Amino acid sequence: MKLTWLGHSAVRLEMGSSVILIDPFLKGSPTFKGDYEAVTAGVTHIIVTHGHDDHVGDTAEIAVRTGAQVISNYEICTWLCGQGVTKINPGNTGGTVPCGEFTVTFTQALHSSGTVKDGQSIYLGNPNGVVIKHPKAQTIYHAGDTDVFGDMTIIDELHRPKIGFLPIGDRFTMSAETAAFAVKRFFNFETVVPIHYATFEGYLAPNADGFVKALAGHKTRVLVPDLLEAVTI
Ligand code: NI
Ligand code: MN
């Protein structure tokens, strides 16, 4: 499997013949300086964890252009259909949806999900994390935006994810310290990748140093990829 961090919570995963984008916030992201066409080329699936703009991002444009299937909660899927998206694969917390070669399970997240358009509040369901299982790859948990919660231990027990993507930026999500606490207390990751930091200056943690420090000596490897650096794992 190949993983590429695209900044913020956006990740590109290549596993088998699937090319998956999670939370593709690209054009509007202050830190995404990559080749938009290149990183969205050949995408087969887009997973959206919740309805905030910094996660939905460019989903509609990419899905319409590439024909990628969108996997998200029911409210976000139907909202995106109103923006021209035709291939949707909706679910909700606790459910697993087949996505061709792999499956996505929607997990709980302690956060919110709505957005505002033209002064009108739009309800976009509950926020989720996701577990991705592919027969040829290690099981992945992408937490979306969330605080730490005790039922993370159930996610570990049920799904045994080996690779975790956890938000560490603080203010809107867990901080470096609480995310490290979650890793130690609730998971058995081989590798954990910090996300949701450095994007908005003055608002989020500027780097992953605190997270790396908080996990020093722990069995889980902290992988801090450079932006756009493809890592084979
Ligand atoms: Ni959010
Ligand atoms: Mn966010």
Side-chain angles (χ1 to χ4, degrees):
M1 180 190 44
K2 204 160 92 176
L3 73 83
T4 311
W5 183 50
L6 305 176
H8 207 51
S9 296
V11 182
R12 177 180 162 113
L13 303 171
E14 295 171 46
M15 37 174 81
S17 58
S18 301
V19 180
I20 306 163
L21 293 181
I22 307 176
D23 290 353
F25 173 56
L26 304 174
K27 283 182 179 166
S29 168
T31 54
F32 179 75
K33 304 277 192 270
D35 181 339
Y36 179 80
E37 300 296 328
V39 302
T40 59
V43 169
T44 59
H45 300 78
I46 304 169
I47 299 171
V48 181
T49 60
H50 65 289
H52 291 155
D53 298 347
D54 59 321
H55 297 259
V56 177
D58 305 294
T59 297
E61 191 282 322
I62 300 165
V64 169
R65 177 165 44 88
T66 64
Q69 176 189 93
V70 175
I71 299 133
S72 193
N73 73 30
Y74 180 77
E75 291 82 358
I76 290 171
C77 282
T78 50
W79 176 62
L80 289 172
C81 285
Q83 298 171 42
V85 174
T86 53
K87 283 198 214 163
I88 58 165
N89 194 354
N92 209 330
T93 312
T96 298
V97 295
C99 307
E101 298 177 312
F102 63 96
T103 63
V104 171
T105 301
F106 295 88
T107 66
Q108 183 184 347
L110 215 52
H111 194 64
S112 58
S113 180
T115 192
V116 177
K117 173 120 195 199
D118 302 326
Q120 297 294 312
S121 185
I122 302 173
Y123 173 72
L124 291 172
N126 291 317
N128 288 113
V130 288
V131 174
I132 303 167
K133 288 183 184 159
H134 188 290
K136 290 184 184 149
Q138 290 153 294
T139 297
I140 290 172
Y141 169 55
H142 185 295
D145 281 356
T146 189
D147 186 16
V148 60
F149 50 92
D151 286 353
M152 282 177 166
T153 195
I154 295 178
I155 297 171
D156 183 66
E157 191 172 344
L158 286 176
H159 304 294
R160 300 289 179 210
K162 292 293 170 223
I163 301 171
F165 291 92
L166 299 186
I168 66 152
D170 209 346
R171 185 179 291 268
F172 302 112
T173 70
M174 295 188 280
S175 67
E177 289 72 28
T178 49
F181 172 88
V183 170
K184 291 188 258 194
R185 179 83 173 256
F186 298 122
F187 291 104
N188 289 282
F189 296 133
E190 284 169 9
T191 303
V192 67
V193 182
I195 56 174
H196 212 270
Y197 68 94
T199 326
F200 305 112
E201 207 182 333
Y203 278 85
L204 303 181
N207 56 54
D209 294 355
F211 186 63
V212 171
K213 190 170 164 227
L215 282 171
H218 189 261
K219 63 182 179 180
T220 298
R221 173 176 73 128
V222 181
L223 173 64
V224 185
D226 287 334
L227 274 164
L228 304 171
E229 174 199 6
V231 178
T232 301
I233 197 165

